[in-house]
Amino acid sequence: MEIIVKGEGKKKFKPDQIELNYTFTVREKEYEKVVDLGIKSVDSYLKLLEEMGFAKSQVKTIQFRVEEEKKYNEKTKKYDFIGYRYIQSSKFKFEYNLEKLQEIIINSSKLNYVSYKINFTLQDEKRAQDELLTIAYEDAKKQAETISKVAGLKLIKCLKTSFEAFDGRFISPSRFNEAYLCMDKRTIGEDLGNIFIPEDISVERNIYCIFLAE
């Protein structure tokens, strides 16, 4: 007898990594000036991180472009050239440390042309995925054992497993308000960890199994 069951793997993970997504946006009428200011703003950010003990290699560029900006003119029914826009997005990850995050926030307030988003994630997502699938498989096996017992049979082995590729990310639902970018140390407080604790990362994975019972 073949038994087909769906196993569910659920678990909460504590974030062990902080991910900062920076976007540098500069607008100027002259191409040379917008490029110069854009490069200088990114360079200032990298120097800031180096001063805090991080390496430039930890910062990964996601996108970079310089484009014309135009505005629609209702009178002429045409788009008028208004200048250039420099956009560069970077991702920076480091081990979970709220003291370091607080230091970055305070120092980032000195930067120009920058906005950012903070995510609380996991360093080893592959290990977490494997753990969830293991939990899901054990759940499926337990169901199959119960069904075979009720049917007066003995569970022999698992014939086949199937699961969908995981296309999500392990990210805490907590978000750090970008308004903190403008706050100084007195506003944030001496210890960020006492006022901000990110939620655990809740993830679920399913697995489909075919067991043989005789």
Side-chain angles (χ1 to χ4, degrees):
M1 174 183 175
E2 290 186 355
I3 302 173
I4 303 175
V5 290
K6 172 187 173 183
E8 296 182 347
K10 300 179 181 179
K11 185 174 179 180
K12 291 185 176 181
F13 299 87
K14 289 192 176 298
D16 62 5
Q17 180 174 256
I18 298 176
E19 176 185 286
L20 285 86
N21 295 276
Y22 280 88
T23 299
F24 298 85
T25 306
V26 183
R27 290 180 170 87
E28 290 290 342
K29 289 186 177 182
E30 299 175 7
Y31 180 86
E32 291 76 10
K33 188 172 183 179
V34 78
V35 171
D36 182 58
L37 287 175
I39 292 174
K40 285 181 179 178
S41 64
V42 175
D43 188 53
S44 296
Y45 164 58
L46 294 175
K47 287 180 179 179
L48 181 151
L49 292 179
E50 285 187 311
E51 290 172 358
M52 288 187 286
F54 297 107
K56 284 186 178 181
S57 58
Q58 290 179 257
V59 182
K60 307 299 181 183
T61 300
I62 301 172
Q63 69 165 327
F64 168 81
R65 69 178 186 272
V66 179
E67 60 189 17
E68 289 187 357
E69 283 198 298
K70 296 181 179 181
K71 185 177 181 180
Y72 187 71
N73 189 319
E74 291 288 349
K75 292 182 178 180
T76 62
K77 305 302 180 182
K78 294 181 180 180
Y79 285 92
D80 295 333
F81 171 79
I82 60 174
Y84 295 94
R85 179 170 57 180
Y86 174 106
I87 301 175
Q88 182 168 340
S89 298
S90 301
K91 182 178 291 186
F92 170 55
K93 301 177 182 178
F94 61 97
E95 187 174 349
Y96 184 88
N97 184 323
L98 288 182
E99 289 183 1
K100 272 294 181 183
L101 176 60
Q102 176 174 291
E103 186 180 356
I104 291 173
I105 292 168
I106 294 170
N107 284 286
S108 292
S109 64
K110 305 170 186 177
L111 301 177
N112 296 318
Y113 312 113
V114 61
S115 62
Y116 69 83
K117 179 177 69 174
I118 299 174
N119 291 324
F120 299 92
T121 65
L122 293 182
Q123 296 184 57
D124 193 346
E125 294 190 355
K126 174 65 167 57
R127 179 192 59 78
Q129 289 186 39
D130 292 345
E131 190 172 343
L132 285 167
L133 285 176
T134 299
I135 295 172
Y137 176 80
E138 291 301 323
D139 178 56
K141 184 179 179 182
K142 186 178 295 185
Q143 293 182 57
E145 287 174 341
T146 300
I147 294 171
S148 60
K149 185 177 181 180
V150 171
L153 302 172
K154 181 180 180 182
L155 194 67
I156 305 300
K157 62 179 179 179
C158 178
L159 299 175
K160 185 179 180 180
T161 62
S162 176
F163 53 88
E164 295 181 355
F166 184 75
D167 57 359
R169 289 211 49 207
F170 289 78
I171 300 179
S172 167
S174 296
R175 291 292 180 268
F176 203 86
N177 195 322
E178 189 177 327
Y180 281 108
L181 182 64
C182 303
M183 293 184 176
D184 60 18
K185 190 171 183 178
R186 290 169 298 177
T187 308
I188 297 175
E190 293 294 330
D191 187 0
L192 184 63
N194 286 335
I195 63 172
F196 184 84
I197 301 175
E199 291 184 54
D200 289 345
I201 302 168
S202 298
V203 185
E204 177 180 341
R205 291 214 64 184
N206 299 322
I207 190 170
Y208 298 88
C209 302
I210 300 177
F211 287 90
L212 176 64
E214 296 179 348

